[in-house]
Amino acid sequence: DKSIKLWGAATMGTGKQLLSHSSWIRTVKFSPDSCRLVSGGGDQVIIVWSVPDGQILQRIAGHESTVSSAVFLQWPNFTRVPPLISADYAGKVLMWLPDKGMQGIMHATLISCDHLPWSSDEYERYLILSVGRNRASVRTSPKTGTTTNLDFEREDISISCAVWDDHETIRVQLFERPQSSHRVKLLGETKCKHREVIKMEAPEQDSAVFSLVTGEGEALSNEDWRHTSVRLKFRFEPTEHHANLTVHVEDAKNLKRLDGKGAMNTYCRVVTQKGQEFATKVVMNNAMPRWHTTSTFGIGPS
């Protein structure tokens, strides 16, 4: 069912259900410390999850075939976020280094869709523009099937996302459905990687044209054999500064032994979405704890 289920080893009871893959999952592996989980499958995407809360730490797009295997490497230089090595059915093996932080902000705008194949007015069509690791998306207003050229400049079909990995995907999908039904059919789609957009010359001024392909990998065309295409405009804002995260705990309550006797030492663990973590030391007397450490660490491009 395209999901991952976490099971309790002692009780064999079902815990979290992890949902994000859009196709069959072919590989699931824990990290050496069991704090992370990596999965991959038919959608050609690798996802790194946190355990046990099931949050997505990183979505990696780089394979062009079904991901058959993905595993964390045990390298001493990467004790907190180890590298990944993955393989696909096409025989390609790739290595992924830990995410180094946010590279910038990508702004994408859908301008037009031209040369759509003709259909009757009993059908309506719309496009979905999605970007980034969490696939944030925006949808156009539906148009009848007799409309073969769509102009979106007045609709402002724009979306922005943080770029953590330049292999992440920008995707445009064209859907069609009968006006009397909710059954939706994917007519075609196109996609490109952030790194391809970033390498464009003056991307904030120029638009780019992409041809749509069907689910069978063939070019989507109209009756005149002209390829259906979308025009997109991009603007990338690189992030060049670094930031520090400072955590200072001034007060704490209800942190004492149940019997009320003796001192107790404990700590507060802070984990960022990027997988970095550290602990503040806490020294506690019978009643009032004394937090004696303010922790600061770099989180890379922020």
Side-chain angles (χ1 to χ4, degrees), residues 21 61 96 277:
H21 284 286
W96 310 92
E277 58 187 66

Side-chain angles (χ1 to χ4, degrees), residues 58 97-106 133 161-168 193-196 198-199 235-242 274 299-302:
Q58 191 172 1
L97 294 178
D99 203 336
K100 297 181 179 179
M102 192 175 78
Q103 301 181 27
I105 302 292
M106 178 66 72
R133 66 172 55 185
C161 73
V163 179
W164 298 91
D165 181 356
D166 59 9
H167 284 89
E168 293 167 6
K193 293 181 174 60
H194 285 301
R195 64 183 310 171
E196 299 170 3
I198 295 172
K199 290 180 179 179
R235 181 168 60 88
F236 179 67
E237 297 179 7
T239 302
E240 298 179 352
H241 68 280
H242 287 65
K274 309 312 298 167
I299 57 174
S302 62

